[in-house]
Amino acid sequence: MINNREIFKKIFSFLKETLDTILFVLIAVIVIRFFVGELRWIPSGSMHPTLIEKDRLFVEKLSKPFRELQRGDVIVFYPPDEPLKKDFFSIISRLTGLMCKDIAFIKRIIGMPGDKFEIKLEDDGYYVYINDKKLEEPYILSKTDWMPCRDDMYCGPFTVPEDNYFMMGDNRGNSQDSRFWGFLPKNRVIGRAIFVFWPLNRVQKL
């Protein structure tokens, strides 16, 4: 006959195994998200036609210590004017992705540290000039459908500061990017988007 002590031991053993499993899963998720990569989805049309709403993509972090970011990379990042809470719950939710409320953007790197940057309006549309040379951008939605530059926008000419990037969406007519909020510090980068995995008819390498 099973006594109360044996029942207690079985309950304790079950709870211990359950907690150990939960802890292992949480640690594994944190390690994978922090060092390898994470999954993201596209909520807006700022990256048309490259990315559209509800695209699911993989954002890799494994190469961050070994590969410098390059012009043209599609990057997921925390916008520079968005404060990141540093309390325990916020850090854990950020590391695991569970109930994380931090705002993240996805844009393309256009200006690299030290670049001279300028947007120019010409007869057939808008163009980005890097170091006084026109940048070829086959990925943008339109050369003509752009938000006109205003005095309170970052349209150049200026030099991109060290350890900062100038980010732009491929849909230049509908993208809240560096033209509005300025330069992206390197330490705000989450990772590099490398491929779309869902829906199946949208699978592609970025």
Side-chain angles (χ1 to χ4, degrees):
M1 185 175 180
I2 300 176
N3 57 38
N4 290 337
R5 180 175 295 180
E6 290 177 342
I7 294 175
F8 177 78
K9 285 182 178 180
K10 287 186 177 182
I11 293 175
F12 179 80
S13 177
F14 171 77
L15 291 175
K16 183 178 182 300
E17 289 180 8
T18 302
L19 290 174
D20 287 346
T21 301
I22 292 173
L23 183 61
F24 173 80
V25 170
L26 284 175
I27 292 174
V29 168
I30 290 172
V31 169
I32 291 171
R33 282 179 61 91
F34 192 80
F35 292 104
V36 181
E38 61 185 71
L39 307 181
R40 292 272 176 170
W41 69 284
I42 302 300
S44 72
S46 68
M47 284 295 290
H48 282 199
T50 307
L51 298 169
I52 64 175
E53 294 88 338
K54 298 184 180 180
D55 277 354
R56 265 63 172 177
L57 49 87
F58 179 73
V59 179
E60 71 91 14
K61 305 177 182 180
L62 193 61
S63 68
K64 284 178 72 174
F66 314 105
R67 177 190 180 275
E68 289 294 327
L69 295 176
Q70 301 172 8
R71 191 187 330 278
D73 285 346
V74 177
I75 300 299
V76 176
F77 58 91
Y78 299 117
D81 56 352
E82 182 68 25
L84 297 177
K85 294 181 180 179
K86 296 183 179 179
D87 60 276
F88 178 78
F89 177 79
S90 296
I91 292 173
I92 292 298
S93 66
R94 194 177 303 133
L95 288 173
T96 61
L98 299 174
M99 295 184 290
C100 183
K101 297 181 180 180
D102 293 326
I103 295 174
F105 286 177
I106 181 166
K107 310 290 179 188
R108 190 182 297 272
I109 295 179
I110 302 299
M112 298 289 292
D115 279 346
K116 179 184 176 183
F117 178 96
E118 187 174 8
I119 296 173
K120 294 183 179 181
L121 175 59
E122 301 181 355
D123 292 339
D124 60 340
Y126 287 87
Y127 292 91
V128 170
Y129 278 76
I130 300 292
N131 301 322
D132 298 318
K133 293 183 179 179
K134 185 183 294 185
L135 183 64
E136 296 298 326
E137 299 189 278
Y139 42 76
I140 66 172
L141 182 64
S142 170
K143 292 187 296 184
T144 57
D145 182 18
W146 284 47
M147 295 181 184
C149 287
R150 304 188 307 265
D151 291 341
D152 61 345
M153 292 172 63
Y154 293 79
C155 292
F158 52 72
T159 299
V160 180
E162 196 66 29
D163 292 326
N164 283 263
Y165 303 99
F166 195 88
M167 312 298 298
M168 298 182 75
D170 292 353
N171 183 359
R172 301 290 163 80
N174 182 26
S175 176
Q176 292 292 318
D177 50 37
S178 285
R179 291 171 293 174
F180 297 92
W181 42 258
F183 308 109
L184 175 70
K186 186 177 182 179
N187 61 11
R188 303 286 286 192
V189 173
I190 296 173
R192 181 170 60 101
I194 57 173
F195 65 85
V196 176
F197 66 88
W198 190 264
L200 294 178
N201 64 340
R202 293 277 303 157
V203 172
Q204 61 175 312
K205 182 179 178 182
L206 300 174

